[in-house]
Amino acid sequence: MRHSSANINANGSTLNASQMNSEWQAAGQLSTNRPLFTPMQVLFFTCMVIFSVFVVGQPAVGQTNDEAANEKTPLVRFHAWGGSAQVNGYLQWVAEQVKTRFNIELQHVKLADTSDAVSRVLAEKAAGNHKNGSVDLIWINGENFAAMKKHDLLSTSWVGELDNFSLTNPDQNPAVTTDFGEPTLGMEAPWGKASMVFYYRSLHLNTLGLMAPKTIEELLRFSQKSPGRFTYPVPSDYLGISFIKYAALALNKDKLSLFYQPSNDKSLNAVLPSLWTYLDALHPTMWQQGKHLLRQASQLQRLVGTGELSMAFSFTASEIPSAVTRFDLPDDVRTYVMQDGSLANVHFVGLTYNSKNKAAAKTVVNFLLSPQAQAKKQKVEVWGDDTVLDIESLSAPDQALFVESNTHPSALDKSQATILLAEPHSSWTDALREAWYERYGARY
C-alpha cells in the first residue's frame, strides 16, 4: 500500500501545511513565531516514511517470499475444450512448464462447448468491459473464429510477433494463415492439425466376412450388409457435422470449388441432392434403424467398446490407441483413413481483444509453438496431435524430437499417403446443419 504525504481530517478531506498551521493555531497548539517543524522533527518524519515503505514492501505475517512473489505472477486463462483426458493432461504439463520457465500461471478453463467462451467475450464487449476480460486465450477454429472475427473480439496482428511462428513457414504454408477459408489476419496462432479417421473392430469384420470400407460409397454398402453396425451423431455435435461435410465433399468431387466460397442458395442446391440421396439410403441401415442418433461424439467410442457398433470415426487419431491402452476399447481395434479423402483442418489459439495479460498470453502461445512443446503434443501417448511446424526447416536436434520409435497396433499408420480434404468455408457449417435439420430434424 502506498503512503501519502497529505494528512486526513475527520471528514476524509486532505489538509495542506498552511491549513494545518491555521487549525493548530486556533487550538493553541502552535506559536506563530516559530517554524512548523524543527530540523529534528523533519528527520524523524523522514525516517518514519522510509521505515513504513520498508515494512509495506515485506511479506505479510505468515507469508513467505515465494508467496509474496506469486501475487505478482500474471494469470493467463486458457479457455479450451475439456472433454479429452489427453488434452487436459497435456495442458497441465504446459502449465507446469510456463510456470517454471516464465513464472506465468496458466489456468485451463475446461469447456464443453467453445461457443460458451465466445459468448462470454461478446457479452463483456456489450457491457463495455474492454480491458479486464475473463478470457485471455481461446482454442478455436472454423465458425467460432469467424464469429469472433466478425464482432472484433480478437486482438489483431499479434501472431507475427512470436519468434516461433516463423517455424511454421507461413509464407509457404497457407493452412496456418487461413481458417475454414477465412484469412486469420494475425488474430490467432496455429496450434495443431487434425484429420478425420475411421476405426473398426477387426474381429467383427472377420466374422462378418467384410473389409473396412475405403470410400463414402463403400461405407453405404458396408452398412447395408451389416445393419446396425454404424452411425453418426446429430450435426449439432462437432463430429456429426464433420461427417456431413465429409460426405458432401466426397459425393461432389466435381463441385469442390463451391465449398471454398461463401455458401448461398445456388451452391447449396447444387450439392444437396447427392447428399440427401446418400443419407436417405444410409439412415435405415444404421444403429437402431437410424431412428435415434447420438447426441455426443464420445458415445460413438462407448458403443464400439461395448460391441454394439463395428466401426466409427474420430477427429483425433491418437485417442484410439489411447483408449485401447485404458481398456476403453478392445485391442482388436484398428485405425485408418478413407481413400477418397480425409476432412482436415488446422486448429488455432486466439488472443481476446480485452485480455488484461496480453504479454504473458503471447509468451504462452510462443511456448506452444516451440519444437519442445509441439513434439511433446505429437507423441501418441500424450495427445497425438500433429505439429504445425515445418519439420524440414528445424535444426537437426529439433527434428529428432519428432521421431517416434514405438507404434501402437491400434494407431494410424502415418507412413501411408493421405488425401486431405480442406474444411469448407465456415459459412457451410451452418448452412449444411440447418439444411439437415430442415430435412431430418423432426425425427430427432
Side-chain angles (χ1 to χ4, degrees), residues 210-411:
L210 297 173
M211 299 288 292
K214 299 295 180 66
T215 66
I216 191 70
E217 290 86 359
E218 288 184 15
L219 177 60
L220 174 59
R221 291 194 287 273
F222 169 88
S223 193
Q224 289 171 335
K225 293 178 181 179
S226 55
R229 313 305 299 178
F230 175 79
T231 191
Y232 67 91
V234 291
S236 56
D237 176 85
Y238 80 96
L239 203 54
I241 191 61
S242 294
F243 178 77
I244 297 301
K245 285 187 283 189
Y246 158 63
L249 289 165
L251 293 167
N252 289 279
K253 288 293 184 67
D254 59 333
K255 304 180 183 70
L256 286 182
S257 62
L258 296 178
F259 291 96
Y260 301 102
Q261 304 170 24
S263 65
N264 53 49
D265 290 342
K266 182 178 180 180
S267 57
L268 270 175
N269 291 334
V271 304
L272 287 180
S274 59
L275 179 63
W276 299 151
T277 299
Y278 181 87
L279 294 180
D280 287 349
L282 178 67
H283 285 174
T285 72
M286 296 196 313
W287 177 71
Q288 295 192 357
Q289 297 82 45
K291 296 177 181 178
H292 301 282
L293 294 188
L294 304 176
R295 296 291 174 182
Q296 295 179 329
S298 59
Q299 295 173 325
L300 275 177
Q301 188 180 113
R302 179 181 60 80
L303 290 178
V304 174
T306 60
E308 292 185 65
L309 296 180
S310 294
M311 69 175 301
F313 54 98
S314 170
F315 231 109
T316 308
S318 63
E319 77 175 7
I320 310 308
S322 295
V324 173
T325 301
R326 297 193 309 269
F327 303 104
D328 290 335
L329 287 175
D331 57 11
D332 70 312
V333 167
R334 297 295 181 265
T335 310
Y336 72 105
V337 294
M338 291 291 195
Q339 292 180 351
D340 57 357
S342 176
L343 187 67
N345 63 56
V346 173
H347 50 92
F348 297 79
V349 177
L351 173 61
T352 60
Y353 87 101
N354 62 345
S355 167
K356 65 178 180 180
N357 285 316
K358 290 182 180 179
K362 292 176 186 177
T363 299
V364 170
V365 178
N366 192 55
F367 175 72
L368 292 176
L369 283 173
S370 67
Q372 294 75 21
Q374 287 278 304
K376 177 83 171 180
K377 181 166 63 71
Q378 186 166 289
K379 292 182 182 299
V380 171
E381 65 271 20
V382 176
W383 180 352
D385 189 47
D386 288 338
T387 181
V388 290
L389 303 187
D390 181 12
I391 301 297
E392 293 183 358
S393 68
L394 301 180
S395 65
D398 286 341
Q399 289 186 28
L401 297 174
F402 293 86
V403 177
E404 296 187 27
S405 55
N406 299 318
T407 57
H408 193 284
S410 297

Side-chain angles (χ1 to χ4, degrees), residues 175-197:
V176 301
T177 56
T178 55
D179 186 347
F180 285 51
E182 286 281 348
T184 60
L185 304 180
M187 295 180 180
E188 55 178 5
W191 188 22
K193 294 187 294 186
S195 58
M196 181 179 285
V197 298

Side-chain angles (χ1 to χ4, degrees), residues 54-101:
F54 174 80
V55 170
V56 170
Q58 302 308 302
V61 175
Q63 182 184 43
T64 66
N65 286 325
D66 287 341
E67 289 171 339
N70 285 339
E71 291 181 354
K72 299 180 181 179
T73 299
L75 173 65
V76 174
R77 293 149 303 183
F78 188 4
H79 287 240
W81 181 61
S84 165
Q86 290 76 29
V87 174
N88 296 345
Y90 175 71
L91 287 179
Q92 183 177 352
W93 175 82
V94 171
E96 295 167 354
Q97 294 297 309
V98 297
K99 176 65 174 177
T100 301
R101 296 168 184 249

